[in-house]
Amino acid sequence: MKIVTVVGARPQFIKCAQLSKELRKQAEEILVHTGQHYDYEMSKIFFDELSIPTPDYNLEVGSGSHGIQTGKILMGIEDVLIKEEPDFVLVFGDTNSTLAGALAASKLGIKVAHVEAGLRSYDRTMPEEINRVLTDHLSDLLFAPTKSAVANLKKEGITKGVHNSGDVTVDALEHARSIAMKKSTILDTLDLTSNGYLTLTMHRPANTDDHNRLRTIIGALGKTGYPIVFPAHPRTRNALKDSGLLERMPPNFRIIEPLGYVDLLRLMSEARCIVTDSGGIQKEAFLLGIRCVTLRENTEWTETLVDGRNTLVGANETRILNAINAPYSSKRSKVMPFGKLGAPSRIAKIMASQ
Ligand code: UD1
């Protein structure tokens, strides 16, 4: 069996690392990097740290509007698929690379497998929600990470080819966490004490492109009294510059370059609290047993909203501060909504048996 795997953005590199190893035991894998993320800190560092094979193709599409980026990826992938004639195209998550990979394949009559199928925030203002819904409806094999993802697909009439495989992030996190605890020196480098700081990640257009919202969030976090370590996504750094906020950041902020997975995991593991608008980080905080405060009004990872482990606070100062200061039991959850270790090998076996 021949599989073309499509990745392009940071979280996809993390998700594909373990699965790629498993797939290569059973099938021929051709790896395509769309080039959606291209800076060293946004791309190559993940390939190096997680020993991901060098991509066979890099489409180098770079940045652009959604139409331009998706269109360029579509054109590039179509050429690869015509040349390689795979049995399956494998896509991850909900980015423009995901949708373009699925669309190019299905138009050529090539089967599509989607890892992280069935997630819904039911918020169509998020580009990711459009990408998720369309990709699921184009897919032949749908690897749902949770029971609720399976139920979401059923509501849309999708039952064929659906597998509750568990979440590939569980394996990715365990693998990288053991490396992080041995090798990462990020706490010493930044002179941080365990449990004495907050880790912030924020890159959603809803937060970065609305400067009033951005100002409110930064202002609220400035009042927490804790050092805030903020590995800033390029989109966010640009927004901070354009809004004039970068020169007037509250003194407790430490803005640093985006981090690789190993250092980010260490920084998350030892934080008092994680503040984020990312989807994947809400889930990682849950798996690590660290309190998460989410700068959104909704989440596709509803399983994390139990026992105060994750709180949706939007961009409201009072809600942000209350959630950060609420009592919290830091034990890791006994509930395992994302499944046990082994999703990558379960997915590889199902694919190889088609
Ligand atoms: C994308 C995904 C999002 C995912 C995120 C992870 C879509 C619609 N969104 O959002 O779901 O959570 O990746 O990071 O696919 N940029 C650089 N260097 C880079 C990459 C990006 O400078 O290496 C800048 C560019 O100015 C670009 C902007 O960041 O315009 C946004 O990048 P893009 O890939 O379009 O979307 P993300 O916000 O990263």
Side-chain angles (χ1 to χ4, degrees):
M1 171 173 295
K2 188 170 184 179
I3 298 166
V4 165
T5 298
V6 179
V7 292
R10 217 165 32 169
Q12 294 165 335
F13 309 141
I14 297 167
K15 284 168 205 158
C16 93
Q18 300 301 315
L19 181 50
S20 207
K21 275 183 204 144
E22 294 296 331
L23 280 178
R24 285 171 191 234
K25 290 180 193 164
Q26 329 231 9
E28 181 189 355
E29 186 191 41
I30 306 288
L31 189 59
V32 178
H33 186 332
T34 65
Q36 176 170 353
H37 286 173
Y38 44 86
D39 288 339
Y40 176 78
E41 297 85 4
M42 298 289 287
S43 172
K44 180 89 170 45
I45 188 168
F46 295 91
F47 285 78
D48 294 346
E49 276 186 345
L50 305 176
S51 310
I52 303 168
T54 305
D56 300 281
Y57 297 87
N58 191 326
L59 307 179
E60 296 182 353
V61 298
S63 305
S65 68
H66 284 271
I68 291 175
Q69 195 175 52
T70 311
K72 277 189 184 168
I73 303 172
L74 195 56
M75 284 162 65
I77 291 182
E78 189 177 61
D79 284 345
V80 173
L81 298 183
I82 289 170
K83 186 167 163 225
E84 296 290 346
E85 299 182 342
D87 302 291
F88 267 99
V89 168
L90 175 66
V91 294
F92 296 84
D94 56 16
T95 72
N96 292 338
S97 299
T98 315
L99 174 61
L103 190 53
S106 60
K107 290 272 177 117
L108 290 170
I110 299 166
K111 287 189 183 139
V112 178
H114 184 203
V115 172
E116 240 179 38
L119 296 188
R120 297 290 182 268
S121 65
Y122 297 104
D123 175 0
R124 289 271 175 125
T125 65
M126 287 176 77
E128 291 81 3
E129 183 74 355
I130 315 274
N131 293 340
R132 286 178 200 125
V133 173
L134 295 178
T135 303
D136 283 339
H137 283 264
L138 294 170
S139 293
D140 301 277
L141 274 180
L142 299 98
F143 295 109
T146 60
K147 280 187 202 152
S148 63
V150 174
N152 291 342
L153 291 169
K154 198 171 171 195
K155 276 189 235 159
E156 293 172 24
I158 306 174
T159 50
K160 200 166 160 253
V162 175
H163 299 266
N164 183 352
S165 56
D167 198 314
V168 291
T169 308
V170 176
D171 287 63
L173 186 126
E174 270 317 299
H175 174 75
R177 201 161 69 102
S178 58
I179 305 175
M181 288 312 183
K182 278 185 231 134
K183 291 202 180 152
S184 172
T185 56
I186 188 83
L187 262 62
D188 288 342
T189 309
L190 297 177
D191 197 18
L192 296 166
T193 47
S194 186
N195 203 31
Y197 65 93
L198 312 185
T199 299
L200 169 66
T201 83
M202 174 168 56
H203 71 275
R204 299 236 158 258
N207 285 332
T208 58
D209 299 359
D210 177 341
H211 291 174
N212 280 333
R213 217 177 139 92
L214 188 61
R215 199 167 292 117
T216 308
I217 293 169
I218 303 287
L221 294 173
K223 291 183 185 164
T224 57
Y226 295 108
I228 298 197
V229 186
F230 184 16
H233 185 290
R235 171 201 287 290
T236 317
R237 193 179 275 272
N238 289 340
L240 290 172
K241 257 191 227 148
D242 296 345
S243 60
L245 278 164
L246 196 59
E247 297 85 52
R248 292 185 280 111
M249 294 299 283
N252 60 332
F253 266 79
R254 310 254 318 251
I255 301 187
I256 57 174
E257 291 301 313
L259 293 173
Y261 197 44
V262 168
D263 277 338
L264 184 66
L265 267 188
R266 186 75 200 262
L267 203 58
M268 292 200 289
S269 307
E270 312 258 351
R272 181 173 188 84
C273 167
I274 295 168
V275 183
T276 191
D277 62 8
S278 150
I281 288 182
Q282 294 171 55
K283 187 172 52 184
E284 286 162 350
F286 181 94
L287 293 168
L288 291 168
I290 304 292
R291 173 211 301 271
C292 188
V293 172
T294 298
L295 303 164
R296 286 172 50 185
E297 304 292 350
N298 52 49
T299 180
E300 54 284 1
W301 297 107
T302 47
E303 291 82 359
T304 60
L305 299 173
V306 292
D307 305 332
R309 292 183 177 275
N310 184 18
T311 314
L312 300 174
V313 294
N316 177 291
E317 178 174 309
T318 313
R319 282 161 69 196
I320 293 173
L321 292 174
N322 285 348
I324 289 173
N325 294 317
Y328 181 71
S329 151
S330 64
K331 279 195 201 121
R332 278 219 214 181
S333 176
K334 289 205 181 74
V335 189
M336 285 299 288
F338 305 110
K340 295 187 188 129
L341 280 166
S345 74
R346 289 193 286 277
I347 291 173
K349 274 193 197 120
I350 294 169
M351 290 198 69
S353 69
Q354 298 300 306

